[in-house]
Amino acid sequence: MQVSVSRLTVFTVAALLALALASSCAYDQLWEEHDRGDFILVTNRGGADIAYSPLSGVEIITDRGFAFKDLNGNGKLDKYEDWRLSPEVRAKDLASRLSIQEIAGLMLYSAHQSVPARSSRFAVNTYGGAVFGESGADPWELSDQQKNFLKYDNLRHILVTSVESPETAARWNNRVQAFVEGAGKGIPANNSSDPRHGIVASAEYDAGAGGEISMWPGALGLAATFDPDLVYQFGRIASAEYRALGLTTALSPMADLATDPRWSRVRGTFGEDPLLVTDMIRAYIDGFQSTVTDSSDGWGRESVNAMVKHWPGGGTGEGGRDAHFGFGKYAVYPGNNFEEQLRPFVEGAFRLEGGTREASAVMPYYTISWQQDTVNNENVGNAFSKYIITGLLRERYGYKGVVCTDWGVTRTPQSVDQFGNAGWGVEQLSEAERHYKAIMAGVDQFGGNNDAGPVIEAYLMGVSRHGEDFMRRRFEKSAKRLLMNIFRTGLFENPYVDPQETRQTVGNPEFMKAGYEAQLKSVVMLKNYDNVLPAGGGANVYIPERFIPERMNWFGMATPERYEPPVNKRIAGRYFNLASEAARADYAFVFIDSPDRGTGYSRDDLMSGGTGYMPISLKYGEYTATDAREVSIAGGGPFEDFTNRSYRGKSVTVSNTTDLDLVRLTREKMGDRPLIVVINMSTPTVLSEIEPLADAIIVHFGVQDQALMEILSGKFEPQGLLPVQMPANMRTVEEQYEDVPHDMEVYCDSEGNCYDFAFGMDWNGPISDERTSVYGRKQPLFSLNF
């Protein structure tokens, strides 16, 4: 979608209108106040509306008949308080006024904050010294810890996770903004979120009804639509809901290419194809960042900053392992294809069609980009690499926005399999030294850090080495970048949200409908032997219960084993007659997950004399890695006395091998009657064990049960396409290069269809349309010539 851009910025237009009106009114009062409960809204005729909290103590000052907020309480209108000036002028002015302590606070990005803040194994949160449940506090009140980091550490960027309700989120935002409005220079909080439009699978979609928030397919599901316009629509709707919740930064999208099918984060990407991912990333960010009604250059009250991640691409971890852990810290490039990993950033995120021009922030990944630094010859985490951040991102590709580390990169790692402390390549440095190294590499902000102390220590280190003038300039440079994202989204004028408008906006029927329709479009049909689908209304359908094995998540927390219905049977019963046993059924629908791939590391193996390194399997049955590398590409570190991380010859079985058992058992029960397998897919899957047993295969990447019933019953024709290849076997998985897309032998089924990128079926057979003509061919390897 195109966004019209005028040569005049919104700020120039506002200034001209304001001056013209002021002249004609001879400085008569052009503003009036409106009580909105949590805040006072001040409307300026012909100018920007502003808002302030009665709790903050901020006063209104006037100039030429217009109202402004005296945020620093000095009784005069300073440049940064003047909404008639451009964000760049205002940010530069305010950066020059801030103390080093205040800049250090801007450079912090909080650890995860729930609303209300509840205590957990990772953090203690209190209200007046008591845990929330015993405090009597309202859920939108600030915790003691939040007040502390806002007041004493000058933190102004908050990562919000779960919220009790949209109204609670809105009121909490207003409390935060009132608290910081009356402190120091009155810098508003820039609240943010990871993607929060996920699916509640069992939830019912009711046309005309609203919900807590609109529900959309995840990134891989959106990619399966092969429709950038739909992704733009998602960005526009999601940004409206974010702003209504008091959120002005999205820690998304993931521009990583899923070039290794074993990576645990494939589902958060837009797939493996550079062209498709680039187009999706551009559309996503344009949707989030563009204000198309009250802004001629794209920025405005509807805009949400997009923090694109993870520079320079996080999908090339050796063996498919992930860099949240030390055992996955090395990104490797056996195909010499490093530059192609940059394409979604350079041609997508940094080359937008809308007037905001580029993503406002970038997050580097935890990985060490192995042997890519040809200048300093350093193998350190990307956030600590001057070559990766300054040499490439800033200088070669001209990126001007904020660079924020991923969460926890400055914490001290304790072991190779510890989650969350990810200072890879700089393990020997102190926490303050890591901050200093990242700052000198070009980083502006530190994710997951509530404490300004190490940032101030890093400043003092720089002063001792380069002098105070040098370090002051360096800190102001970061401050200006960070402030630009707050000014451009209008937070200095009005950071407040009306809870009543929040209720009307978030999850409204129009938004819910758009999300549900996107879910339908994201479902992929891979097989339909003898046109057994659609099943048609009134069919007798057997849906066996699914066994969920005990699992350990990334945080080391176990979920117990259990049997459970795989779908909401009340919803399924509206489409089909549910049979209690296979003998009475016309069809069986078996719902399973893709193989639970594991992490690629086992402490049990280590304790029994091995290295700890294990295969990551994409099949359901036992797998022995006979075709793995004999010697790893990268290796070594302070927690290991060896460098070869090979797992060749080792065997693993995924935890949900019982899904294969369920398909086999149901096949036996059904005999020759149709068996339909529905796979909730997180990573590409070796389907050689499943496909011969199934008459039809449906793949999705996270949708509501109801959307699946619509397709199985024929009320909606499948139209999704595979955003990733399905490997023929584990040999091709081991032999493919971690950094190269489209380089696997793909699985071909009994009908002669091959499950390659961009394959999908409708009721008439394999889909061939405009999408497959644009994206359904392998693109030539990419070269960035700048």
Side-chain angles (χ1 to χ4, degrees), residues 331-333 338 369-375 378-379 387-388:
V332 296
Y333 304 90
F338 175 80
S369 297
W370 183 250
Q371 295 183 346
Q372 295 306 304
D373 181 355
T374 57
V375 176
E378 273 194 315
N379 281 309
Y387 173 77
I388 294 292

Side-chain angles (χ1 to χ4, degrees), residues 575-781:
Y575 293 82
F576 305 102
N577 299 319
L578 299 186
S580 59
E581 55 186 40
R584 299 183 177 184
D586 303 315
Y587 292 82
F589 296 165
V590 182
F591 295 84
I592 62 174
D593 288 350
S594 53
D596 186 8
R597 42 174 297 291
T599 64
Y601 190 84
S602 166
R603 186 160 282 270
D604 289 341
D605 179 77
L606 182 69
M607 298 305 291
S608 62
T611 62
Y613 290 89
M614 302 295 291
I616 292 175
S617 178
L618 301 181
K619 59 179 290 188
Y620 292 95
E622 183 181 20
Y623 167 59
T624 300
T626 56
D627 299 301
R629 291 188 185 108
E630 193 165 351
V631 178
S632 65
I633 294 173
F639 306 113
E640 295 173 336
D641 59 2
F642 57 88
T643 58
N644 185 7
R645 293 179 161 194
S646 175
Y647 48 83
R648 187 183 179 99
K650 293 184 179 180
S651 299
V652 293
T653 303
V654 298
S655 64
N656 66 326
T657 188
T658 48
D659 279 349
L660 176 59
D661 296 337
L662 180 62
V663 175
R664 287 172 172 164
L665 178 62
T666 308
R667 176 78 279 170
E668 291 177 10
K669 291 180 177 180
M670 291 298 293
D672 293 333
R673 286 165 294 153
L675 185 154
I676 317 302
V677 176
V678 181
I679 307 174
N680 185 352
M681 191 168 284
S682 296
T683 56
T685 299
V686 176
L687 291 170
S688 57
E689 301 155 304
I690 297 291
E691 184 271 328
L693 303 171
D695 295 285
I697 299 175
I698 298 290
V699 165
H700 69 98
F701 308 97
V703 299
Q704 289 170 255
D705 298 339
Q706 187 170 348
L708 296 173
M709 298 305 151
E710 295 268 335
I711 287 174
L712 293 166
S713 66
K715 292 184 180 298
F716 190 88
E717 186 169 16
Q719 55 183 263
L721 304 172
L722 284 176
V724 287
Q725 293 180 314
M726 295 295 111
N729 47 54
M730 283 302 299
R731 176 187 53 77
T732 192
V733 172
E734 297 290 0
E735 293 178 352
Q736 58 87 36
Y737 288 157
E738 285 91 337
D739 59 327
V740 177
H742 308 308
D743 64 340
M744 292 191 294
E745 176 190 354
V746 298
Y747 181 77
C748 297
D749 67 18
S750 57
E751 303 301 295
N753 292 316
C754 296
Y755 300 166
D756 205 344
F757 170 79
F759 175 78
M761 300 178 69
D762 57 23
W763 303 139
N764 296 314
I767 296 171
S768 179
D769 59 16
E770 182 181 0
R771 298 172 301 161
T772 59
S773 68
V774 172
Y775 297 108
R777 59 185 183 278
K778 296 178 177 65
Q779 302 300 313
L781 294 186

Side-chain angles (χ1 to χ4, degrees), residues 171-190:
R171 299 194 68 177
W172 177 84
N173 168 77
N174 293 346
R175 290 295 178 94
V176 170
Q177 303 297 359
F179 188 88
V180 298
E181 190 173 61
K185 308 297 191 300
I187 299 173
N190 184 352

